Amino acid sequence: MSLSWSAKDHKSYTNSPSNPTQGLKRPRNDTGNKVTVVLGAQWGDEGKGKVVDLLATESDLVCRCQGGNNAGHTVVVEGTEYDFHLLPSGIINPKSICVIGNGVVIHLPGLFEEAEKNEKKGLKGWEKRLVVSDRAHLVFDFHQVVDGIQETQRQATEGKIIGTTKKGIGPTYTSKASRIGLRVCDLLGDFKEFSTKFKNLVAQYQSMYSSLTVDTDTQLKKLKEYGERLRPMVRDGVYYMYEALHGPPKKILVEGANAALLDIDFGTYPFVTSSNCTVGGACTGLGIPPLNIGEVYGVSKAYTTRVGIGAFPTEQLNATGELLQTRGHEVGVTTGRKRRCGWLDLVILRYAHMINGFTAIALTKLDILDVLDEIKVGVAYKINGKRIPHFPANMELLHKVEVEYETFPGWKSDTSAARKWNDLPQKAQNYIRFVENHIGVPIKWVGVGKSRECMIQMF
């Protein structure tokens, strides 16, 4: 159903003397198509791209709703490895339309560079299948420089950094919240007006950061060129999504970036990203009602990783951590930084479920655990020997928690060739069932390798 009920319809429906149904209640619209949302349930890098890629093969629309090119999704198709940062991973599917929503912050040079890199690997026709919301905010090169300056200042004043990707994401969301940011619609509007606003924005940042130098004329020339390249892809995002929801039946997929524990409100603040990467971000970042949210899939590794600094209760600063890092090739797609590794933490998975209401879980990288003699799972946190029922907001407290573990015998066999549930060793099945029962959410997929074929679907 589209936006078809007009004032004229209303008049003819209610005010016509010959209308036998005069005075009857106006018909209620159906809720429209449901949206499936895929979200990270840990600190990111869980393998969301693989789950999205799997679902995108049957999706008509694949959408990004928040974050920017600080995200990094790797997808392997027929032996070719694609890396995505701003483009939704569903762009690989030639039948999918991909949407970059208003909640995303877009670095235009990064967007086109990413597309060109993936074109060389075989990506085709992406520009005809990409829709960009006119309300999305723009990341400028100077935002990225400011990101680096802020990290240097934190190191100098506090002796520690947040560990940002230095992609300018935080400063751009700051501009947005301060109501001085510039959006896609500004770039494609009156360019003279845009140029004035851009220069004013630069001047504001230079007043705060004396070392910041910006060649505004060169930047504006490049931005004008990027704007014209982008123009054919730009739509009113709210109207576009409304039509998609209320038009013919469609499979719509929302691809979350980052993860629950990096959410600006619910994550391990301040060591978080600058957007809402939980389920609410899908609504605000695309302009869709909560009523249209259908399945919500959480993605978690069979162990835990995080990039950068911040509390990490189940981290293993030992041979186990090194083994997980090496076997799992745990290096950030966006930053190239080694990821910190530790045991699976069910406290954070339960917490992520409280916020997101997962309808199912994808458990990835089970095969990385294949060689371990024993496997531990964090099931509760204790403070002063007493279990606490919640996930602490205070980072000092989180650093002090003692983790209570359940220990499982390792299965000591190669699971990478498993393609169905019964192919997995009994001990691996026991591990999966324990996780499922403890968090109270069914596990729908188990990942045992990099490619699409390595995702075992359970139901």
Side-chain angles (χ1 to χ4, degrees):
M1 186 177 286
S2 64
L3 278 165
S4 56
W5 188 270
S6 67
K8 185 181 173 186
D9 294 328
H10 182 79
K11 190 175 179 183
S12 64
Y13 186 76
T14 58
N15 294 345
S16 167
S18 59
N19 185 357
T21 58
Q22 186 177 1
L24 287 184
K25 194 173 181 181
R26 174 180 161 165
R28 293 185 67 174
N29 294 343
D30 59 27
T31 57
N33 294 315
K34 293 288 186 185
V35 172
T36 296
V37 187
V38 176
L39 300 167
Q42 297 167 301
W43 276 287
D45 313 306
E46 301 95 347
K48 294 180 291 294
K50 292 182 192 69
V51 179
V52 169
D53 178 51
L54 208 64
L55 295 169
T57 56
E58 296 176 354
S59 296
D60 302 296
L61 219 61
V62 183
C63 314
R64 275 279 305 272
C65 61
Q66 45 69 228
N69 60 343
N70 57 332
H73 292 170
T74 303
V75 178
V76 180
V77 182
E78 293 173 2
T80 303
E81 197 168 289
Y82 298 89
D83 289 333
F84 297 110
H85 301 276
L86 257 172
L87 289 169
S89 344
I91 201 80
I92 292 174
N93 178 6
K95 293 176 184 174
S96 288
I97 300 293
C98 287
V99 177
I100 294 179
N102 57 275
V104 179
V105 290
I106 305 171
H107 183 243
L108 291 176
L111 175 68
F112 289 112
E113 184 185 325
E114 178 185 327
E116 282 153 19
K117 276 184 184 173
N118 284 300
E119 271 182 324
K120 287 174 185 170
K121 295 177 180 180
L123 179 65
K124 290 176 184 165
W126 66 272
E127 60 275 83
K128 291 186 175 70
R129 295 184 289 106
L130 183 66
V131 170
V132 178
S133 170
D134 57 353
R135 289 175 171 83
H137 278 250
L138 294 167
V139 181
F140 300 116
D141 288 351
F142 70 80
H143 281 131
Q144 299 190 333
V145 176
V146 166
D147 210 351
I149 293 171
Q150 287 176 342
E151 283 285 68
T152 304
Q153 288 180 345
R154 286 182 198 110
Q155 184 66 59
T157 57
E158 300 169 35
K160 61 184 177 183
I161 58 172
I162 285 174
T164 81
T165 57
K166 298 181 184 172
K167 296 290 182 184
I169 308 304
T172 305
Y173 278 117
T174 300
S175 294
K176 177 178 176 175
S178 302
R179 294 158 294 178
I180 55 173
L182 289 167
R183 302 185 292 173
V184 169
C185 58
D186 299 314
L187 177 62
L188 300 188
D190 181 338
F191 194 74
K192 189 178 175 185
E193 183 70 23
F194 174 83
S195 301
T196 303
K197 288 177 178 175
F198 179 81
K199 287 174 182 175
N200 289 342
L201 185 59
V202 169
Q204 275 191 270
Y205 272 95
Q206 285 178 325
S207 70
M208 292 185 279
Y209 304 99
S210 57
S211 63
L212 179 66
T213 57
V214 182
D215 183 341
T216 51
D217 292 337
T218 302
Q219 286 290 303
L220 284 166
K221 186 183 173 189
K222 285 181 182 174
L223 284 163
K224 191 168 188 179
E225 289 168 9
Y226 284 128
E228 291 313 311
R229 283 181 74 182
L230 190 71
R231 192 179 291 276
M233 307 171 205
V234 177
R235 301 283 185 279
D236 182 300
V238 174
Y239 184 76
Y240 187 88
M241 289 307 298
Y242 184 91
E243 290 288 287
L245 290 170
H246 297 281
K250 272 189 175 67
K251 289 192 174 178
I252 303 172
L253 183 62
V254 177
E255 173 182 349
N258 319 115
L261 274 291
L262 292 173
D263 185 278
I264 185 75
D265 286 301
F266 303 112
T268 46
Y269 191 89
F271 305 105
V272 292
T273 192
S274 303
S275 61
N276 287 115
C277 20
T278 42
V279 71
C283 296
T284 56
L286 285 162
I288 58 176
L291 200 61
N292 291 96
I293 301 290
E295 301 291 344
V296 181
Y297 296 137
V299 187
S300 167
K301 281 176 181 156
Y303 51 101
T304 310
T305 65
R306 88 169 290 180
V307 170
I309 60 175
F312 183 173
T314 62
E315 183 173 17
Q316 297 300 296
L317 297 168
N318 52 28
T320 301
E322 286 174 23
L323 183 140
L324 293 171
Q325 200 280 323
T326 307
R327 274 185 61 81
H329 304 289
E330 295 296 352
V331 177
V333 176
T334 301
T335 59
R337 291 179 291 184
K338 277 188 177 183
R339 297 181 188 132
R340 298 154 62 194
C341 299
W343 297 120
L344 183 62
D345 186 338
L346 298 186
V347 178
I348 69 172
L349 288 193
R350 284 198 309 271
Y351 175 65
H353 174 48
M354 287 176 197
I355 298 158
N356 291 302
F358 297 133
T359 55
I361 296 279
L363 192 71
T364 62
K365 299 186 91 164
L366 183 79
D367 56 307
I368 306 306
L369 307 180
D370 286 350
V371 298
L372 292 165
D373 293 317
E374 65 173 31
I375 298 159
K376 291 186 177 183
V377 181
V379 294
Y381 292 166
K382 290 178 178 178
I383 298 276
N384 298 325
K386 288 181 72 175
R387 272 192 178 202
I388 55 171
H390 59 274
F391 183 80
N394 184 288
M395 285 306 99
E396 289 171 23
L397 199 60
L398 191 59
H399 274 292
K400 291 176 185 170
V401 298
E402 176 195 343
V403 181
E404 186 180 312
Y405 289 101
E406 286 280 345
T407 304
F408 294 83
W411 41 92
K412 302 288 286 181
S413 59
D414 185 359
T415 59
S416 62
R419 293 295 175 268
K420 54 185 188 294
W421 173 250
N422 289 336
D423 293 341
L424 292 170
Q426 184 62 50
K427 287 175 182 176
Q429 291 183 9
N430 294 345
Y431 179 78
I432 294 161
R433 289 301 183 215
F434 177 83
V435 172
E436 186 175 61
N437 292 331
H438 202 85
I439 56 176
V441 183
I443 291 175
K444 189 176 174 74
W445 296 276
V446 176
V448 291
K450 276 191 165 188
S451 66
R452 272 180 193 168
E453 299 74 38
C454 297
M455 291 293 278
I456 300 167
Q457 187 160 336
M458 314 269 276
F459 60 90

